[in-house]
Amino acid sequence: MTTLIQRSLPLAKSSTPALQFLRFRGKINIQRPKAPHYERARVVAVTQPKHPELPKAKSCFKTRAERTQQQQENPYNEIIAREVRNWLDHSRLVAFFHLNSITADDIFRVRVQLHKQNLHLKSYGSKIIEQAVKNTRYEAIVPLFHSNHCIVFSPNPEKTAALLRIVRRVPQMVLLGGIVEETMLSRNELVAYAQMPGLQAAQAQLVQTLSQAPGHLIQQLQAHQNSFVQVLDVHAKNQMNEETPEST
Protein backbone atom coordinates (compact mmCIF):
# COMPACT_ATOMS: atom_id res chain seq x y z
CA MET A 1 0.00 0.00 0.00
CA THR A 2 2.73 2.40 0.93
CA THR A 3 4.73 1.57 -2.18
CA LEU A 4 1.74 2.43 -4.37
CA ILE A 5 1.25 5.74 -2.61
CA GLN A 6 4.93 6.58 -2.97
CA ARG A 7 4.86 5.73 -6.67
CA SER A 8 1.74 7.79 -7.27
CA LEU A 9 2.87 10.67 -5.05
CA PRO A 10 6.63 11.13 -5.40
CA LEU A 11 6.58 14.26 -3.17
CA ALA A 12 5.23 12.21 -0.28
CA LYS A 13 8.43 10.22 -0.24
CA SER A 14 10.59 10.89 2.90
CA SER A 15 14.25 11.73 2.28
CA THR A 16 17.11 12.76 4.52
CA PRO A 17 18.60 16.18 3.61
CA ALA A 18 22.30 16.24 2.78
CA LEU A 19 24.29 18.18 5.42
CA GLN A 20 27.65 19.67 4.56
CA PHE A 21 29.81 21.16 7.36
CA LEU A 22 31.97 24.14 6.42
CA ARG A 23 34.80 25.56 8.48
CA PHE A 24 36.10 29.12 8.30
CA ARG A 25 39.58 28.84 6.91
CA GLY A 26 41.06 32.11 8.19
CA LYS A 27 41.93 32.94 11.85
CA ILE A 28 39.97 35.60 13.66
CA ASN A 29 42.19 38.27 15.20
CA ILE A 30 40.56 39.23 18.49
CA GLN A 31 43.08 41.92 19.41
CA ARG A 32 42.88 43.65 16.03
CA PRO A 33 39.43 42.93 14.60
CA LYS A 34 38.54 43.80 11.06
CA ALA A 35 37.12 47.29 10.63
CA PRO A 36 33.32 47.23 10.13
CA HIS A 37 31.58 48.58 7.08
CA TYR A 38 31.23 52.35 6.88
CA GLU A 39 27.46 52.28 7.31
CA ARG A 40 27.66 49.94 10.29
CA ALA A 41 30.45 51.99 11.89
CA ARG A 42 28.32 55.13 11.53
CA VAL A 43 25.32 53.44 13.15
CA VAL A 44 27.48 52.15 16.01
CA ALA A 45 28.97 55.61 16.58
CA VAL A 46 25.51 57.22 16.64
CA THR A 47 23.96 54.65 18.95
CA GLN A 48 26.88 54.62 21.43
CA PRO A 49 25.64 55.81 24.85
CA LYS A 50 27.14 58.91 26.49
CA HIS A 51 27.49 58.84 30.24
CA PRO A 52 27.71 62.05 32.28
CA GLU A 53 31.26 62.97 33.33
CA LEU A 54 31.96 62.59 37.04
CA PRO A 55 32.99 65.75 38.91
CA LYS A 56 36.73 66.00 39.43
CA ALA A 57 38.18 66.15 42.90
CA LYS A 58 39.49 69.52 43.98
CA SER A 59 42.75 67.98 45.16
CA CYS A 60 43.69 67.15 41.56
CA PHE A 61 44.06 70.83 40.74
CA LYS A 62 46.34 71.58 43.71
CA THR A 63 50.08 71.79 43.30
CA ARG A 64 52.40 69.31 44.92
CA ALA A 65 53.65 71.97 47.35
CA GLU A 66 50.09 72.67 48.53
CA ARG A 67 49.38 68.97 49.02
CA THR A 68 52.60 68.36 50.98
CA GLN A 69 51.95 71.31 53.27
CA GLN A 70 48.70 69.77 54.41
CA GLN A 71 50.41 66.51 55.42
CA GLN A 72 50.96 66.25 59.13
CA GLU A 73 54.43 65.32 60.28
CA ASN A 74 54.69 62.06 62.15
CA PRO A 75 55.96 62.68 65.71
CA TYR A 76 57.63 59.26 65.67
CA ASN A 77 59.93 60.45 62.88
CA GLU A 78 61.03 63.34 65.07
CA ILE A 79 61.95 60.91 67.85
CA ILE A 80 64.02 58.76 65.47
CA ALA A 81 65.65 61.90 64.02
CA ARG A 82 66.73 62.95 67.52
CA GLU A 83 68.15 59.46 68.03
CA VAL A 84 70.20 59.75 64.82
CA ARG A 85 71.47 63.18 65.88
CA ASN A 86 72.46 61.74 69.27
CA TRP A 87 74.42 58.93 67.58
CA LEU A 88 76.24 61.44 65.36
CA ASP A 89 77.12 63.75 68.25
CA HIS A 90 78.42 61.03 70.59
CA SER A 91 80.21 58.79 68.07
CA ARG A 92 83.85 59.44 67.27
CA LEU A 93 83.71 56.98 64.38
CA VAL A 94 80.85 56.97 61.83
CA ALA A 95 81.04 54.92 58.61
CA PHE A 96 78.53 55.09 55.74
CA PHE A 97 77.87 52.05 53.53
CA HIS A 98 75.83 51.43 50.40
CA LEU A 99 73.87 48.23 50.97
CA ASN A 100 73.32 45.93 48.00
CA SER A 101 70.92 42.99 47.94
CA ILE A 102 71.57 40.95 51.09
CA THR A 103 69.57 38.45 53.12
CA ALA A 104 68.36 39.11 56.64
CA ASP A 105 70.51 36.26 58.01
CA ASP A 106 73.70 37.75 56.52
CA ILE A 107 73.00 41.21 57.87
CA PHE A 108 72.26 39.70 61.29
CA ARG A 109 75.64 37.91 61.32
CA VAL A 110 77.42 41.14 60.38
CA ARG A 111 75.54 43.00 63.10
CA VAL A 112 76.64 40.45 65.72
CA GLN A 113 80.29 40.57 64.63
CA LEU A 114 80.28 44.37 64.71
CA HIS A 115 78.61 44.45 68.11
CA LYS A 116 81.40 42.32 69.56
CA GLN A 117 83.85 45.06 68.52
CA ASN A 118 81.68 47.82 70.05
CA LEU A 119 80.43 48.80 66.59
CA HIS A 120 76.71 49.44 66.13
CA LEU A 121 75.02 48.87 62.78
CA LYS A 122 71.96 51.05 62.11
CA SER A 123 69.69 51.79 59.16
CA TYR A 124 67.32 54.76 58.75
CA GLY A 125 65.20 56.30 56.02
CA SER A 126 66.50 59.15 53.90
CA LYS A 127 63.81 61.55 55.16
CA ILE A 128 64.73 60.83 58.78
CA ILE A 129 68.43 61.41 58.02
CA GLU A 130 67.63 64.66 56.25
CA GLN A 131 65.49 65.79 59.18
CA ALA A 132 68.23 64.87 61.66
CA VAL A 133 71.11 66.70 59.94
CA LYS A 134 69.20 69.73 58.65
CA ASN A 135 70.99 73.00 59.44
CA THR A 136 73.85 71.16 61.19
CA ARG A 137 77.50 70.50 60.42
CA TYR A 138 76.53 67.01 59.18
CA GLU A 139 74.37 68.32 56.33
CA ALA A 140 77.03 67.35 53.76
CA ILE A 141 76.22 63.63 54.22
CA VAL A 142 72.66 63.93 52.81
CA PRO A 143 73.67 62.97 49.19
CA LEU A 144 74.94 59.60 50.48
CA PHE A 145 71.43 58.42 51.39
CA HIS A 146 69.59 58.42 48.07
CA SER A 147 69.69 54.60 47.92
CA ASN A 148 69.66 51.66 50.29
CA HIS A 149 72.25 52.28 52.99
CA CYS A 150 73.42 51.48 56.51
CA ILE A 151 75.51 53.33 59.11
CA VAL A 152 78.04 52.05 61.65
CA PHE A 153 78.62 54.04 64.86
CA SER A 154 81.39 53.60 67.42
CA PRO A 155 82.72 55.71 70.31
CA ASN A 156 86.26 54.42 69.67
CA PRO A 157 87.98 55.56 66.44
CA GLU A 158 90.67 52.90 66.89
CA LYS A 159 88.10 50.31 65.77
CA THR A 160 88.42 51.45 62.16
CA ALA A 161 90.78 48.61 61.25
CA ALA A 162 88.45 46.05 62.87
CA LEU A 163 85.49 47.53 60.98
CA LEU A 164 87.24 47.27 57.62
CA ARG A 165 88.41 43.75 58.41
CA ILE A 166 84.84 42.58 59.13
CA VAL A 167 83.28 44.39 56.17
CA ARG A 168 85.91 42.99 53.79
CA ARG A 169 84.18 39.60 54.10
CA VAL A 170 80.79 41.12 53.17
CA PRO A 171 80.90 42.34 49.53
CA GLN A 172 77.29 43.55 49.75
CA MET A 173 78.40 46.43 51.99
CA VAL A 174 80.23 49.08 49.95
CA LEU A 175 82.11 51.71 51.96
CA LEU A 176 81.31 55.29 50.89
CA GLY A 177 83.07 57.38 53.53
CA GLY A 178 83.01 58.26 57.19
CA ILE A 179 83.45 60.78 59.96
CA VAL A 180 86.40 60.38 62.34
CA GLU A 181 86.94 62.87 65.15
CA GLU A 182 84.43 65.30 63.57
CA THR A 183 86.34 65.18 60.27
CA MET A 184 84.72 64.02 57.04
CA LEU A 185 86.85 61.38 55.28
CA SER A 186 86.49 59.67 51.93
CA ARG A 187 86.87 55.94 51.44
CA ASN A 188 90.58 56.10 50.61
CA GLU A 189 91.28 58.46 53.50
CA LEU A 190 89.44 56.16 55.88
CA VAL A 191 91.47 53.16 54.69
CA ALA A 192 94.69 55.16 55.12
CA TYR A 193 93.59 56.19 58.62
CA ALA A 194 93.00 52.53 59.52
CA GLN A 195 96.56 51.67 58.47
CA MET A 196 98.07 54.31 60.72
CA PRO A 197 99.61 53.12 64.04
CA GLY A 198 97.87 53.65 67.36
CA LEU A 199 98.23 56.67 69.61
CA GLN A 200 100.83 55.05 71.88
CA ALA A 201 102.94 53.91 68.93
CA ALA A 202 102.76 57.40 67.40
CA GLN A 203 103.79 58.96 70.71
CA ALA A 204 106.76 56.56 70.96
CA GLN A 205 107.83 57.45 67.43
CA LEU A 206 107.54 61.16 68.27
CA VAL A 207 109.65 60.78 71.42
CA GLN A 208 112.26 58.82 69.49
CA THR A 209 112.38 61.48 66.78
CA LEU A 210 112.69 64.27 69.33
CA SER A 211 115.45 62.43 71.20
CA GLN A 212 117.39 61.78 68.00
CA ALA A 213 117.36 65.44 66.97
CA PRO A 214 119.66 66.82 69.77
CA GLY A 215 122.00 63.81 69.50
CA HIS A 216 122.32 64.35 65.76
CA LEU A 217 122.95 68.08 66.34
CA ILE A 218 125.71 67.38 68.89
CA GLN A 219 127.26 64.85 66.53
CA GLN A 220 127.33 67.40 63.71
CA LEU A 221 128.87 70.07 65.97
CA GLN A 222 131.61 67.73 67.20
CA ALA A 223 132.35 66.19 63.80
CA HIS A 224 135.11 68.67 62.86
CA GLN A 225 136.74 68.49 66.29
CA ASN A 226 136.73 64.71 66.28
CA SER A 227 138.19 64.56 62.80
CA PHE A 228 140.91 67.06 63.79
CA VAL A 229 141.80 65.01 66.88
CA GLN A 230 141.99 61.85 64.80
CA VAL A 231 144.32 63.52 62.30
CA LEU A 232 146.59 64.75 65.12
CA ASP A 233 146.59 61.30 66.66
CA VAL A 234 147.65 59.71 63.40
CA HIS A 235 150.34 62.35 62.88
CA ALA A 236 151.72 61.80 66.40
CA LYS A 237 151.91 58.04 65.87
CA ASN A 238 153.82 58.53 62.63
CA GLN A 239 156.35 60.76 64.32
CA MET A 240 156.87 58.24 67.12
CA ASN A 241 157.47 55.52 64.58
CA GLU A 242 160.04 57.62 62.78
CA GLU A 243 161.96 58.48 66.00
CA THR A 244 162.08 54.88 67.24
CA PRO A 245 164.55 53.56 64.58
CA GLU A 246 166.91 56.54 65.02
CA SER A 247 167.19 55.95 68.78
CA THR A 248 167.93 52.30 68.24
Side-chain angles (χ1 to χ4, degrees):
M1 186 66 182
T2 56
T3 56
L4 293 175
I5 295 174
Q6 291 177 357
R7 289 176 183 177
S8 61
L9 299 173
L11 297 177
K13 185 167 57 175
S14 61
S15 61
T16 304
L19 299 177
Q20 185 177 4
F21 297 95
L22 298 177
R23 181 177 294 178
F24 186 74
R25 294 182 180 180
K27 294 183 180 180
I28 300 175
N29 192 347
I30 301 176
Q31 296 180 353
R32 296 181 181 179
K34 186 178 179 180
H37 190 265
Y38 172 74
E39 296 294 337
R40 182 176 179 179
R42 186 168 63 176
V43 173
V44 171
V46 172
T47 58
Q48 188 174 8
K50 294 184 178 181
H51 303 283
E53 187 177 359
L54 297 176
K56 296 181 180 180
K58 295 182 179 180
S59 60
C60 297
F61 300 96
K62 294 182 180 179
T63 61
R64 184 172 183 179
E66 294 176 353
R67 292 197 301 269
T68 53
Q69 287 179 357
Q70 296 179 358
Q71 295 179 359
Q72 296 181 357
E73 295 184 358
N74 192 350
Y76 181 71
N77 291 341
E78 297 180 0
I79 297 174
I80 301 301
R82 288 198 299 268
E83 179 185 348
V84 175
R85 179 66 181 277
N86 186 34
W87 276 109
L88 290 172
D89 291 337
H90 295 85
S91 297
R92 299 173 62 188
L93 170 62
V94 183
F96 308 104
F97 293 90
H98 171 73
L99 195 62
N100 290 326
S101 179
I102 187 173
T103 61
D105 295 337
D106 294 339
I107 198 68
F108 178 75
R109 296 190 192 96
V110 176
R111 192 187 301 274
V112 171
Q113 293 177 4
L114 293 174
H115 185 74
K116 292 179 180 179
Q117 299 292 334
N118 198 14
L119 298 166
H120 307 280
L121 179 64
K122 302 291 182 180
S123 181
Y124 303 98
S126 57
K127 293 183 179 179
I128 294 177
I129 296 293
E130 185 177 358
Q131 185 177 357
V133 303
K134 188 176 181 180
N135 298 328
T136 62
R137 56 187 177 184
Y138 305 109
E139 197 169 4
I141 67 175
V142 174
L144 300 177
F145 298 95
H146 288 307
S147 59
N148 195 14
H149 65 276
C150 61
I151 314 174
V152 177
F153 300 96
S154 177
N156 189 3
E158 297 179 358
K159 296 293 184 179
T160 308
L163 171 63
L164 298 179
R165 185 175 63 255
I166 295 173
V167 174
R168 193 179 296 113
R169 297 192 292 266
V170 186
Q172 294 88 346
M173 296 177 63
V174 182
L175 180 62
L176 300 177
I179 301 175
V180 179
E181 298 290 349
E182 300 182 358
T183 303
M184 189 72 179
L185 301 178
S186 63
R187 180 185 179 278
N188 296 333
E189 292 174 347
L190 198 62
V191 173
Y193 177 81
Q195 296 175 354
M196 293 176 61
L199 181 60
Q200 295 180 356
Q203 291 176 352
Q205 292 180 0
L206 178 61
V207 171
Q208 184 179 3
T209 304
L210 294 177
S211 61
Q212 288 179 355
H216 183 67
L217 178 61
I218 294 172
Q219 184 179 2
Q220 291 293 331
L221 293 175
Q222 295 178 353
H224 299 288
Q225 300 175 3
N226 294 332
S227 61
F228 183 67
V229 170
Q230 290 177 1
V231 170
L232 292 177
D233 189 15
V234 172
H235 182 66
K237 289 181 179 179
N238 292 333
Q239 285 184 354
M240 292 176 62
N241 293 331
E242 290 177 356
E243 293 177 355
T244 300
E246 293 179 356
S247 62
T248 56

